[in-house]
Amino acid sequence: MNFQPSETTLHVAAAARDFAEQHIRPYVMEWDEAQHFPIDTFRAMGQLGMMGVLVPHEYGGAGLGYFEYNAIIQEIAKVCGSVGLSLAAHNSLCTNHILTFGNEEQKRRWLPKLATAEHIGAWGLTEPNTGSDAGNMKTTAVKDGDHWVLNGTKNWITHGKSGDIAVVIARTGEPRTSGNATAFVVERGTPGFAGGKKENKLGMRASETAEMIFDNCRIPDSQRLGEVGDGFRQSLKILDGGRISIAALAQGIARGAFEASVQYSKERHQFDQPISNFQGISFKLADMATEIAAAELLIQQACYLKETHQKVTEQSAMAKYFASEVAVKVSTDAVQIFGGYGYTKDFPVEKYYRDSKLCTIGEGTSEIQKLVIAREVLA
């Protein structure tokens, strides 16, 4: 494995960094306070290829790989975790599910508009009372001739209200039986499909999280992805890649909090010297730097395995678990370094602190990641 980023990766990272500084940073707190989902910003990112990073050129995408994808998410998340989260969910979940499991007609129908952000993507697996217990989902799809009728509610869905295209996993068999779920694509505007409650969140407030409600929502069989009963297996594969993106998201947040802490520790003076001179602060910074570096190696390893089409389940779970916990620890230490100022919205670290926690919950909690890792280790 070559640890030196390619010229393409460096170029893509620089472009994402410049975009974030110019088009995101000036509005970060405004969007956070208002819980505003900045769709126009995502359209602009789509024009730069950031909303179809992994989509091949033939479907209108950027045709890049996981190393570039990791770099883009990190650079965006260093400035705003919310935008990084929405970017990750659109690319890794909805768009990648269609790319991975759609037939040629489905790819040509939906990917070009997703890749340019003309359409925003959503992905629906989680439900109010199931969470990690996806085998017991209540949302059902019942075959009726050449159509399927969907009923149920999905929650904690990124872009649940604003998404134009949703990949939805619905139960097509009996609860807790093997092969009991199937994936479908549902377009906004389909009768019986509506957005529900928008969540009022601790962090990631500019990334829309909402319910998706299906009330006798009728869709043709041509919008089924893959075979009947294959939905949960597909979801596990999608989550393997998605966890790399959440690890990158967490890493970006951690890097943002760390860089702010280093700068502040050099500028803030106490007892006639910068606080970075004090061991209590410098040791915190040393720990932060070390843990961020370790997380990066796990992420790079997962990217390498994904790029070379090897099994990545264990490594992506490790990367997601470790990087997300590091993000929480680093952002917590960042608030401590800033002291009272770190507890105010005039300085950036309180937002990193709030945003970081979601990384230990979304796309499988830290406990679920440990379960996945343990199963792989003991297999």
Side-chain angles (χ1 to χ4, degrees), residues 199-310:
E199 303 296 341
N200 182 8
K201 307 192 298 290
L202 168 71
M204 302 290 197
R205 289 167 60 83
S207 177
E208 179 189 276
T209 304
E211 292 178 322
M212 293 194 302
I213 299 170
F214 303 92
D215 182 9
N216 290 319
C217 178
R218 188 178 180 86
I219 59 172
D221 187 58
S222 61
Q223 292 179 210
R224 170 174 49 84
L225 291 171
E227 299 300 321
V228 173
D230 208 25
F232 190 60
R233 185 190 68 81
Q234 292 177 11
S235 298
L236 291 177
K237 186 170 182 180
I238 294 303
L239 286 169
D240 278 348
R243 284 165 180 160
I244 297 175
S245 71
I246 300 302
L249 174 68
Q251 185 76 336
I253 291 170
R255 286 187 184 278
F258 172 69
E259 290 176 8
S261 298
V262 169
Q263 180 179 345
Y264 181 80
S265 72
K266 293 176 179 179
E267 296 172 351
R268 172 70 165 166
H269 281 65
Q270 292 282 273
F271 304 101
D272 304 318
Q273 57 184 311
I275 62 172
S276 58
N277 286 356
F278 299 116
Q279 196 174 80
I281 300 298
S282 64
F283 277 18
K284 271 187 168 56
L285 294 170
D287 285 340
M288 293 158 82
T290 302
E291 290 169 342
I292 288 171
E296 185 63 31
L297 290 175
L298 284 171
I299 296 168
Q300 292 291 321
Q301 181 189 39
C303 287
Y304 172 77
L305 292 174
K306 190 69 176 172
E307 282 284 274
T308 53
H309 308 290
Q310 299 182 61

Side-chain angles (χ1 to χ4, degrees), residues 308-336:
T308 53
H309 308 290
Q310 299 182 61
K311 185 178 180 183
V312 73
T313 301
E314 180 180 339
Q315 285 73 20
S316 65
M318 285 180 172
K320 195 269 188 189
Y321 165 54
F322 188 76
S324 63
E325 294 292 340
V326 166
V328 171
K329 184 177 185 302
V330 166
S331 60
T332 301
D333 284 345
V335 171
Q336 198 71 16

